[in-house]
Amino acid sequence: MLHTQAISATDKPTLYAELAQQARGLFVGERNLIANAANFSALIYHALPQLNWAGFYLFDGTELVVGPFQGKPACIRIALGRGVCGTAAQQRQTQLVRDVSTHPNHIYCDAASQSEIVVPLIHADGSPPLPRPPHLPPIYHALSVQDMHDLGAYFASQTSRPGVADQALVEPGETLFRQGDATRDIPACMACHSIDGRGNPGAMYPQLAGQHAQYIEATLKAWHDGASWGTDAHSQIMPTIATKLDAKDIAALASYIEGLHAVEGTPAAAATP
Ligand code: HEC
Protein backbone atom coordinates (compact mmCIF):
# COMPACT_ATOMS: atom_id res chain seq x y z
CA MET A 1 0.00 0.00 0.00
CA LEU A 2 1.17 3.51 -0.75
CA HIS A 3 1.30 5.78 2.24
CA THR A 4 -0.31 9.15 2.07
CA GLN A 5 -0.02 11.50 4.96
CA ALA A 6 -2.98 12.42 7.08
CA ILE A 7 -4.07 15.90 6.12
CA SER A 8 -3.68 18.27 9.01
CA ALA A 9 -4.88 21.54 7.51
CA THR A 10 -8.13 22.97 8.79
CA ASP A 11 -8.61 25.76 6.26
CA LYS A 12 -9.69 24.84 2.73
CA PRO A 13 -6.90 26.49 0.69
CA THR A 14 -4.17 24.69 2.69
CA LEU A 15 -6.12 21.44 2.67
CA TYR A 16 -6.48 21.48 -1.12
CA ALA A 17 -2.83 22.48 -1.58
CA GLU A 18 -1.79 19.48 0.53
CA LEU A 19 -4.15 17.19 -1.38
CA ALA A 20 -2.83 18.42 -4.72
CA GLN A 21 0.73 17.79 -3.57
CA GLN A 22 -0.11 14.24 -2.51
CA ALA A 23 -1.94 13.61 -5.76
CA ARG A 24 1.07 14.76 -7.78
CA GLY A 25 3.17 12.35 -5.72
CA LEU A 26 0.84 9.47 -6.61
CA PHE A 27 0.96 10.24 -10.35
CA VAL A 28 4.76 10.52 -10.68
CA GLY A 29 5.96 8.32 -13.53
CA GLU A 30 2.53 6.80 -14.19
CA ARG A 31 0.35 7.68 -17.19
CA ASN A 32 -2.26 4.93 -16.96
CA LEU A 33 -5.69 6.56 -16.71
CA ILE A 34 -7.37 3.79 -14.71
CA ALA A 35 -4.47 3.45 -12.26
CA ASN A 36 -4.28 7.17 -11.60
CA ALA A 37 -8.05 7.60 -11.41
CA ALA A 38 -8.27 4.70 -8.93
CA ASN A 39 -5.52 6.04 -6.69
CA PHE A 40 -6.88 9.57 -6.91
CA SER A 41 -10.36 8.49 -5.79
CA ALA A 42 -8.85 6.59 -2.87
CA LEU A 43 -6.82 9.64 -1.88
CA ILE A 44 -9.84 11.95 -1.95
CA TYR A 45 -12.11 9.44 -0.22
CA HIS A 46 -9.77 8.89 2.69
CA ALA A 47 -8.43 12.41 3.02
CA LEU A 48 -11.68 14.34 3.10
CA PRO A 49 -14.12 13.97 5.99
CA GLN A 50 -17.76 12.93 5.58
CA LEU A 51 -17.50 11.62 2.04
CA ASN A 52 -19.56 8.58 1.05
CA TRP A 53 -18.37 8.38 -2.57
CA ALA A 54 -15.45 9.68 -4.63
CA GLY A 55 -14.73 8.56 -8.15
CA PHE A 56 -14.90 8.97 -11.89
CA TYR A 57 -17.41 8.64 -14.67
CA LEU A 58 -15.73 8.26 -18.05
CA PHE A 59 -17.27 9.39 -21.33
CA ASP A 60 -17.44 6.49 -23.83
CA GLY A 61 -18.43 8.60 -26.83
CA THR A 62 -22.13 8.31 -26.06
CA GLU A 63 -22.69 8.46 -22.33
CA LEU A 64 -20.92 8.39 -18.99
CA VAL A 65 -19.85 5.00 -17.61
CA VAL A 66 -18.73 4.52 -14.04
CA GLY A 67 -14.96 4.26 -13.65
CA PRO A 68 -12.66 3.82 -10.66
CA PHE A 69 -14.23 4.93 -7.39
CA GLN A 70 -14.39 4.44 -3.63
CA GLY A 71 -17.71 3.99 -1.88
CA LYS A 72 -20.85 1.95 -2.45
CA PRO A 73 -21.70 0.52 -5.90
CA ALA A 74 -22.96 3.31 -8.15
CA CYS A 75 -25.18 3.84 -11.18
CA ILE A 76 -23.38 2.29 -14.13
CA ARG A 77 -24.40 4.51 -17.02
CA ILE A 78 -25.55 8.12 -17.03
CA ALA A 79 -26.80 9.90 -20.14
CA LEU A 80 -25.35 13.33 -20.91
CA GLY A 81 -27.56 15.97 -19.35
CA ARG A 82 -28.97 13.55 -16.73
CA GLY A 83 -28.29 14.06 -13.05
CA VAL A 84 -25.51 16.15 -11.61
CA CYS A 85 -22.76 14.19 -13.44
CA GLY A 86 -24.52 14.28 -16.81
CA THR A 87 -25.12 18.02 -16.40
CA ALA A 88 -21.44 18.69 -15.60
CA ALA A 89 -20.34 16.72 -18.67
CA GLN A 90 -22.82 18.33 -21.01
CA GLN A 91 -22.22 21.90 -19.87
CA ARG A 92 -18.50 21.39 -19.22
CA GLN A 93 -19.01 23.21 -15.96
CA THR A 94 -18.35 22.24 -12.39
CA GLN A 95 -21.56 21.48 -10.50
CA LEU A 96 -21.70 22.22 -6.80
CA VAL A 97 -24.99 21.03 -5.35
CA ARG A 98 -25.29 21.69 -1.63
CA ASP A 99 -28.61 19.92 -1.21
CA VAL A 100 -29.33 17.25 -3.80
CA SER A 101 -32.98 17.02 -2.77
CA THR A 102 -33.48 20.42 -4.38
CA HIS A 103 -31.70 19.47 -7.63
CA PRO A 104 -34.35 19.07 -10.35
CA ASN A 105 -32.47 16.34 -12.11
CA HIS A 106 -30.74 14.37 -9.35
CA ILE A 107 -30.31 10.61 -9.76
CA TYR A 108 -30.67 8.77 -6.45
CA CYS A 109 -27.94 6.16 -6.12
CA ASP A 110 -27.45 6.40 -2.37
CA ALA A 111 -29.92 8.07 -0.04
CA ALA A 112 -27.03 9.06 2.24
CA SER A 113 -25.71 11.48 -0.39
CA GLN A 114 -26.67 15.00 0.57
CA SER A 115 -24.32 17.09 -1.52
CA GLU A 116 -22.34 16.56 -4.69
CA ILE A 117 -19.45 18.22 -6.43
CA VAL A 118 -18.82 17.15 -10.02
CA VAL A 119 -15.87 18.52 -11.96
CA PRO A 120 -15.80 17.86 -15.73
CA LEU A 121 -12.43 16.66 -17.07
CA ILE A 122 -11.40 17.92 -20.47
CA HIS A 123 -8.53 16.44 -22.49
CA ALA A 124 -5.35 18.46 -22.08
CA ASP A 125 -4.73 18.35 -25.84
CA GLY A 126 -7.94 20.31 -26.31
CA SER A 127 -9.68 17.49 -28.15
CA PRO A 128 -13.35 17.58 -27.27
CA PRO A 129 -14.47 14.98 -24.75
CA LEU A 130 -17.81 15.09 -26.53
CA PRO A 131 -16.85 14.23 -30.10
CA ARG A 132 -19.03 14.83 -33.14
CA PRO A 133 -20.93 11.67 -34.15
CA PRO A 134 -18.69 9.12 -32.43
CA HIS A 135 -18.56 6.65 -35.30
CA LEU A 136 -17.20 9.27 -37.69
CA PRO A 137 -13.84 10.52 -36.34
CA PRO A 138 -11.83 7.49 -37.55
CA ILE A 139 -13.10 8.28 -41.04
CA TYR A 140 -12.65 12.02 -41.12
CA HIS A 141 -9.28 12.01 -39.39
CA ALA A 142 -7.92 10.45 -42.57
CA LEU A 143 -9.23 13.28 -44.78
CA SER A 144 -7.23 16.38 -45.68
CA VAL A 145 -8.97 19.76 -45.70
CA GLN A 146 -8.93 19.60 -49.51
CA ASP A 147 -10.59 16.14 -49.45
CA MET A 148 -13.35 17.58 -47.27
CA HIS A 149 -13.95 20.48 -49.68
CA ASP A 150 -14.01 18.06 -52.61
CA LEU A 151 -16.46 15.71 -50.91
CA GLY A 152 -18.66 18.66 -49.91
CA ALA A 153 -18.74 19.91 -53.49
CA TYR A 154 -19.60 16.43 -54.77
CA PHE A 155 -22.50 15.95 -52.34
CA ALA A 156 -23.81 19.46 -53.02
CA SER A 157 -24.03 18.59 -56.71
CA GLN A 158 -26.29 15.59 -56.06
CA THR A 159 -30.07 15.78 -56.36
CA SER A 160 -31.92 14.22 -53.45
CA ARG A 161 -34.65 11.68 -54.12
CA PRO A 162 -37.34 12.14 -51.54
CA GLY A 163 -39.57 9.38 -50.21
CA VAL A 164 -42.25 9.40 -47.54
CA ALA A 165 -41.95 7.39 -44.37
CA ASP A 166 -45.50 7.61 -43.08
CA GLN A 167 -48.18 9.58 -44.92
CA ALA A 168 -50.34 9.99 -41.80
CA LEU A 169 -47.56 11.85 -40.04
CA VAL A 170 -46.71 14.20 -42.87
CA GLU A 171 -49.31 16.83 -42.01
CA PRO A 172 -48.41 17.36 -38.33
CA GLY A 173 -44.77 17.22 -39.42
CA GLU A 174 -45.31 19.95 -41.99
CA THR A 175 -47.02 22.21 -39.44
CA LEU A 176 -44.12 21.91 -37.02
CA PHE A 177 -41.54 22.31 -39.78
CA ARG A 178 -43.13 25.44 -41.20
CA GLN A 179 -44.65 27.10 -38.15
CA GLY A 180 -43.12 25.53 -35.07
CA ASP A 181 -45.33 25.59 -32.00
CA ALA A 182 -45.28 28.89 -30.14
CA THR A 183 -47.18 27.44 -27.18
CA ARG A 184 -44.31 25.05 -26.56
CA ASP A 185 -41.56 27.43 -27.62
CA ILE A 186 -40.58 25.26 -30.62
CA PRO A 187 -39.21 27.34 -33.50
CA ALA A 188 -40.12 26.66 -37.12
CA CYS A 189 -37.46 24.38 -38.57
CA MET A 190 -37.62 26.22 -41.87
CA ALA A 191 -36.36 29.39 -40.18
CA CYS A 192 -32.90 27.86 -40.32
CA HIS A 193 -33.16 24.86 -42.65
CA SER A 194 -35.19 26.81 -45.30
CA ILE A 195 -38.67 26.00 -46.56
CA ASP A 196 -37.55 23.15 -48.80
CA GLY A 197 -35.07 21.79 -46.25
CA ARG A 198 -32.08 22.87 -48.27
CA GLY A 199 -30.41 24.47 -45.28
CA ASN A 200 -28.27 27.55 -45.22
CA PRO A 201 -24.63 26.69 -45.87
CA GLY A 202 -23.34 30.16 -44.98
CA ALA A 203 -24.79 29.92 -41.47
CA MET A 204 -23.85 26.20 -41.25
CA TYR A 205 -27.48 25.05 -41.04
CA PRO A 206 -27.33 21.71 -42.84
CA GLN A 207 -29.55 20.44 -45.63
CA LEU A 208 -32.26 18.10 -44.33
CA ALA A 209 -34.05 17.28 -47.57
CA GLY A 210 -33.27 13.78 -48.74
CA GLN A 211 -32.28 12.43 -45.32
CA HIS A 212 -33.92 9.17 -44.33
CA ALA A 213 -36.64 9.39 -41.69
CA GLN A 214 -34.78 6.86 -39.55
CA TYR A 215 -31.67 9.02 -39.47
CA ILE A 216 -33.62 12.20 -38.68
CA GLU A 217 -35.52 10.39 -35.94
CA ALA A 218 -32.40 8.89 -34.34
CA THR A 219 -30.54 12.21 -34.50
CA LEU A 220 -33.37 14.23 -32.96
CA LYS A 221 -33.92 11.57 -30.30
CA ALA A 222 -30.24 11.55 -29.32
CA TRP A 223 -30.32 15.35 -28.95
CA HIS A 224 -33.57 15.07 -27.02
CA ASP A 225 -31.87 12.63 -24.65
CA GLY A 226 -28.96 14.95 -23.98
CA ALA A 227 -26.40 14.25 -26.70
CA SER A 228 -24.69 17.10 -28.51
CA TRP A 229 -22.13 17.32 -31.31
CA GLY A 230 -19.83 19.74 -29.62
CA THR A 231 -19.57 22.28 -26.89
CA ASP A 232 -19.72 25.60 -28.74
CA ALA A 233 -22.93 27.64 -28.90
CA HIS A 234 -23.68 26.42 -32.44
CA SER A 235 -23.78 22.81 -31.22
CA GLN A 236 -26.31 23.66 -28.52
CA ILE A 237 -28.94 24.92 -30.99
CA MET A 238 -30.39 21.52 -31.90
CA PRO A 239 -30.21 19.90 -28.43
CA THR A 240 -32.11 22.91 -27.04
CA ILE A 241 -34.82 22.55 -29.69
CA ALA A 242 -34.98 18.75 -29.49
CA THR A 243 -35.61 18.66 -25.74
CA LYS A 244 -38.95 20.36 -26.47
CA LEU A 245 -39.99 17.71 -29.01
CA ASP A 246 -41.81 14.58 -27.87
CA ALA A 247 -41.63 11.19 -29.58
CA LYS A 248 -44.71 11.98 -31.73
CA ASP A 249 -43.27 15.31 -32.90
CA ILE A 250 -40.02 13.59 -33.79
CA ALA A 251 -41.70 10.82 -35.80
CA ALA A 252 -43.87 13.38 -37.63
CA LEU A 253 -40.94 15.65 -38.47
CA ALA A 254 -38.88 12.69 -39.66
CA SER A 255 -41.63 11.55 -42.03
CA TYR A 256 -42.18 15.03 -43.39
CA ILE A 257 -38.47 15.74 -43.87
CA GLU A 258 -37.93 12.46 -45.72
CA GLY A 259 -40.55 13.66 -48.20
CA LEU A 260 -39.06 17.12 -48.71
CA HIS A 261 -37.97 17.98 -52.22
CA ALA A 262 -35.11 20.34 -52.67
CA VAL A 263 -36.37 22.55 -55.51
CA GLU A 264 -36.16 20.44 -58.69
CA GLY A 265 -32.95 20.72 -60.63
CA THR A 266 -31.29 23.24 -58.35
CA PRO A 267 -28.74 21.46 -56.24
CA ALA A 268 -27.87 22.97 -52.90
CA ALA A 269 -25.28 25.71 -53.00
CA ALA A 270 -21.82 24.57 -52.02
CA ALA A 271 -20.65 25.95 -48.71
CA THR A 272 -17.96 28.55 -49.08
CA PRO A 273 -15.34 27.91 -46.46
C1 HEC B 1 -31.86 28.36 -35.06
C2 HEC B 1 -31.58 27.51 -36.19
C3 HEC B 1 -32.18 26.12 -36.24
C4 HEC B 1 -33.52 25.77 -36.12
C5 HEC B 1 -34.70 26.68 -35.83
C6 HEC B 1 -33.58 24.35 -36.36
N1 HEC B 1 -32.33 23.85 -36.60
FE1 HEC B 1 -31.85 21.91 -37.05
N2 HEC B 1 -29.88 22.38 -37.16
C7 HEC B 1 -29.36 23.61 -36.85
C8 HEC B 1 -27.92 23.50 -36.77
C9 HEC B 1 -26.96 24.62 -36.42
C10 HEC B 1 -27.58 22.16 -37.05
C11 HEC B 1 -26.20 21.52 -37.05
C12 HEC B 1 -26.02 20.85 -35.71
C13 HEC B 1 -24.65 20.95 -35.09
O1 HEC B 1 -23.68 21.23 -35.77
O2 HEC B 1 -24.58 20.73 -33.85
C14 HEC B 1 -28.85 21.47 -37.31
C15 HEC B 1 -28.95 20.13 -37.64
C16 HEC B 1 -30.13 19.46 -37.75
C17 HEC B 1 -30.25 18.05 -38.10
C18 HEC B 1 -29.11 17.11 -38.43
C19 HEC B 1 -28.84 17.14 -39.91
C20 HEC B 1 -27.76 16.19 -40.36
O3 HEC B 1 -27.47 16.20 -41.54
O4 HEC B 1 -27.23 15.44 -39.55
C21 HEC B 1 -31.57 17.75 -38.07
C22 HEC B 1 -32.20 16.39 -38.36
C23 HEC B 1 -32.28 18.95 -37.73
N3 HEC B 1 -31.38 19.98 -37.54
C24 HEC B 1 -33.66 19.03 -37.61
C25 HEC B 1 -34.35 20.18 -37.22
C26 HEC B 1 -35.78 20.22 -36.98
C27 HEC B 1 -36.71 19.04 -37.14
C28 HEC B 1 -36.08 21.50 -36.59
C29 HEC B 1 -37.43 22.06 -36.20
C30 HEC B 1 -38.10 21.44 -35.07
C31 HEC B 1 -34.84 22.26 -36.61
N4 HEC B 1 -33.82 21.42 -36.99
C32 HEC B 1 -34.75 23.61 -36.30
C33 HEC B 1 -30.07 24.80 -36.68
C34 HEC B 1 -31.44 24.89 -36.54
Side-chain angles (χ1 to χ4, degrees):
M1 197 186 76
L2 290 172
H3 282 280
T4 50
Q5 278 153 23
I7 296 211
S8 51
T10 46
D11 63 300
K12 274 194 201 167
T14 322
L15 182 145
Y16 286 133
E18 278 187 34
L19 253 186
Q21 195 184 4
Q22 295 205 12
R24 274 192 289 275
L26 280 176
F27 298 160
V28 170
E30 183 51 70
R31 302 284 299 154
N32 183 284
L33 174 72
I34 300 293
N36 284 344
N39 262 340
F40 187 70
S41 16
L43 173 69
I44 299 281
Y45 186 76
H46 290 285
L48 296 179
Q50 295 190 311
L51 274 193
N52 65 337
W53 202 90
F56 289 82
Y57 275 87
L58 304 173
F59 183 62
D60 74 351
T62 309
E63 56 191 350
L64 301 174
V65 184
V66 73
F69 68 90
Q70 298 277 310
K72 286 190 193 165
C75 305
I76 299 173
R77 290 175 181 271
I78 299 181
L80 292 183
R82 280 264 294 138
V84 185
C85 291
T87 306
Q90 188 177 51
Q91 300 181 356
R92 291 183 142 204
Q93 270 171 5
T94 295
Q95 306 290 311
L96 172 57
V97 181
R98 286 175 206 283
D99 179 357
V100 291
S101 69
T102 63
H103 192 270
N105 198 358
H106 180 244
I107 301 172
Y108 279 92
C109 280
D110 180 354
S113 298
Q114 291 174 7
S115 309
E116 285 187 27
I117 301 179
V118 180
V119 182
L121 299 176
I122 292 153
H123 289 280
D125 65 2
S127 65
L130 311 178
R132 297 231 148 197
H135 48 289
L136 288 181
I139 301 172
Y140 66 64
H141 280 165
L143 301 175
S144 70
V145 173
Q146 187 60 45
D147 291 336
M148 293 186 196
H149 285 318
D150 294 349
L151 279 168
Y154 171 73
F155 280 111
S157 74
Q158 301 295 299
T159 315
S160 52
R161 287 188 203 89
V164 164
D166 184 343
Q167 192 62 47
L169 291 173
V170 166
E171 207 183 298
E174 175 169 15
T175 309
L176 269 179
F177 190 89
R178 296 195 167 194
Q179 296 163 24
D181 182 347
T183 62
R184 291 185 292 150
D185 205 20
I186 299 169
C189 317
M190 72 172 216
C192 294
H193 293 287
S194 89
I195 189 160
D196 59 2
R198 230 184 328 156
N200 177 349
M204 292 205 295
Y205 300 145
Q207 165 157 350
L208 302 182
Q211 295 280 24
H212 288 290
Q214 269 175 325
Y215 171 78
I216 301 282
E217 194 160 353
T219 308
L220 291 173
K221 188 172 177 309
W223 280 325
H224 175 87
D225 292 345
S228 84
W229 288 0
T231 50
D232 54 337
H234 191 78
S235 313
Q236 306 316 309
I237 297 176
M238 284 312 303
T240 308
I241 296 174
T243 47
K244 297 171 193 156
L245 302 172
D246 61 27
K248 259 173 75 184
D249 299 330
I250 290 177
L253 282 162
S255 279
Y256 176 70
I257 290 169
E258 174 159 334
L260 272 175
H261 301 241
V263 174
E264 277 329 309
T266 44
T272 35

